[in-house]
Amino acid sequence: MDWTFIAFSLVKIAVVFAVVMTMVAYAVLAERKVSAFIQDRVGPNRATPFFARYLPGGVGSALVRWGLFQPLADALKAILKEDYTPGHVRKTFFWLAPAIVMVPALLTLAVIPFGSNLGQQSMVIANLDVGILFTFGIVSLSVYGIVLAGYAANSKYPFLGGIRSSAQMISYEISMGMSVVPVFLLVGSLNLGDVIANQTGGWFRWHIFQQPLAFVIFLIAAFAETNRLPFDMPEAETELVGGYHTEYSSMKFALFFLGEYAAMISISAMMVTLFLGGWTLPFFGLDQPATTFAVGVLHILIFLAKLVALLLAIIWVRWMLPRFRYDQLMDLGWRRAIPLALANIVVTAAILALVHG
C-alpha cells in the first residue's frame, strides 16, 4: 500500500475542504454586500468583536465597515437557534435531506484540477480518466435532497417546491450534459486534466472562444442546477413561502444554504476547468505545468481568481434579473437549450470530420 499517496491525498482533502467551507461562508457575505450595493442600502457592518473597533490605524473601522465577522455571527446564530422538528413530518427523511444536498457538491470537487503541480504532487485529489462522467453522476444526486425535503415535510408548499425542483433539475441536467459533448469531441478525452492541457497555447485555445454556445448553455443550466434566480422555482418565497425548506430551522435550515453555495463553487470550478483554461494563463509560460513551488502556488491562485470572478457574476445575476414563470422555464429548457445543444454537437462533429478526414 502506498502510504505516501494516502497521506498526501488526505492532506489535499483537508485543505480543499477548509478552503471551500471558508469560501462558502464569505460567499454569503459577498452576496449580502453585492445586493446592498445594487439596491443602494447598507450591507452587514455591525458584527464585530467589541475590541476590534478600537484597533488603531483605521483597522478597527475597516473591520466594522467590511463586516468580515458576519459569517461567524451567522454560524453562531444557526448553531444556537432551537432545532425544531414539526410533529407531522416524516422524521428520517426530514433529517437526511439536508445532508444529501450538501454532500454531492463537495464530492464533485474531488476530480477538479485546481492547480498543476506543487513539488511532486499534482493538484487534484482524484485524477480519473472518466472525471466528467463522475462529476455528472454526482451532480445528479443533489436533486434527491430537495425532492426528499419536499416529501418529508408533509405539507403543501414544500411538496410543490420538491416537484418543481425535480422537473427543473432533470430538464436542465440533459442540456448541461449535452452542452459539454462538443468540448470532449475537441479534446478526445474525458479526463479533466486533458481538458485543461487542450486549452494551452493562447487565449483563443480556451473553449469559451471555441465553443461559445456550449458555454452559454452550460451557464444557463448551472443557474438552474443551483436553484439560483432566475431559476429559484423550488423555493420561490413569494409563491411557496420558502418552498422545500419551509419546515426547517437551525442547522438543518443552514445546511440547505451551505449546500447551495457549495454547489455554486463546484459548478464555477467546473466552468473554469471546461471553458476558461483552468489554472492556466496564456503568457509568461503560465500555461505549462509548474516546475517550481512558487509557480505551483501561482497556478492555484489563478484558478481561485477565475472561480471567484464567476461566483461574483452568479451573485450579480441573482439581484438583477426577475424570476421566470414555470412554463417559461420549461420552454427555455426543452425547446431552446436542448435543441441548440444537440445542433452544436452535430455541427462540431461535422467540422471535426471534415478537418480530420
Side-chain angles (χ1 to χ4, degrees), residues 199-206 280-287 306:
Q199 297 178 80
T200 60
W203 291 104
F204 292 103
R205 292 286 298 173
W206 288 11
T280 70
L281 280 180
F283 44 75
F284 302 129
L286 291 174
D287 57 355
K306 293 178 182 178

Side-chain angles (χ1 to χ4, degrees), residues 4 26 60 75 78 86 110-111 115 175 197 244 246 284 294:
T4 305
Y26 280 92
V111 296
S175 53
Y244 63 93
T246 300
F284 302 129

Side-chain angles (χ1 to χ4, degrees), residues 76-243:
L76 285 174
K77 183 177 71 174
I79 293 170
L80 296 177
K81 287 179 81 171
E82 181 185 6
D83 190 4
Y84 179 72
T85 301
H88 60 272
V89 302
R90 299 174 174 91
K91 290 187 174 53
T92 302
F93 300 132
F94 189 77
W95 293 334
L96 191 60
I100 295 179
V101 169
M102 186 73 186
V103 171
L106 297 177
L107 286 179
T108 305
L109 294 167
V111 296
I112 301 292
F114 51 90
S116 56
N117 303 310
L118 211 55
Q120 300 298 318
Q121 293 296 317
S122 61
M123 290 297 98
V124 58
I125 295 173
N127 187 21
L128 300 182
D129 287 336
V130 290
I132 192 64
L133 297 181
F134 171 86
T135 301
F136 278 98
I138 296 297
V139 166
S140 64
L141 296 178
S142 61
V143 67
Y144 289 105
I146 296 176
V147 172
L148 204 59
Y151 167 74
N154 203 19
S155 62
K156 61 182 177 184
Y157 289 127
F159 185 66
L160 288 172
I163 290 176
R164 282 185 173 189
S165 177
S166 59
Q168 172 180 313
M169 296 179 79
I170 291 171
S171 302
Y172 282 87
E173 268 178 29
I174 297 172
S175 53
M176 175 182 275
M178 293 174 71
S179 71
V180 300
V181 172
V183 171
F184 291 97
L185 286 176
L186 293 176
V187 177
S189 168
L190 297 177
N191 187 299
L192 294 177
D194 293 340
V195 172
I196 294 176
N198 191 60
Q199 297 178 80
T200 60
W203 291 104
F204 292 103
R205 292 286 298 173
W206 288 11
H207 293 148
I208 190 175
F209 298 112
Q210 297 191 353
Q211 287 291 332
L213 180 58
F215 175 75
V216 171
I217 295 172
F218 191 95
L219 183 63
I220 293 171
F223 278 99
E225 289 292 304
T226 53
N227 301 318
R228 300 282 298 182
L229 268 171
F231 296 93
D232 67 333
M233 286 288 155
E235 62 179 85
E237 291 179 354
T238 50
E239 301 168 21
L240 299 180
V241 199

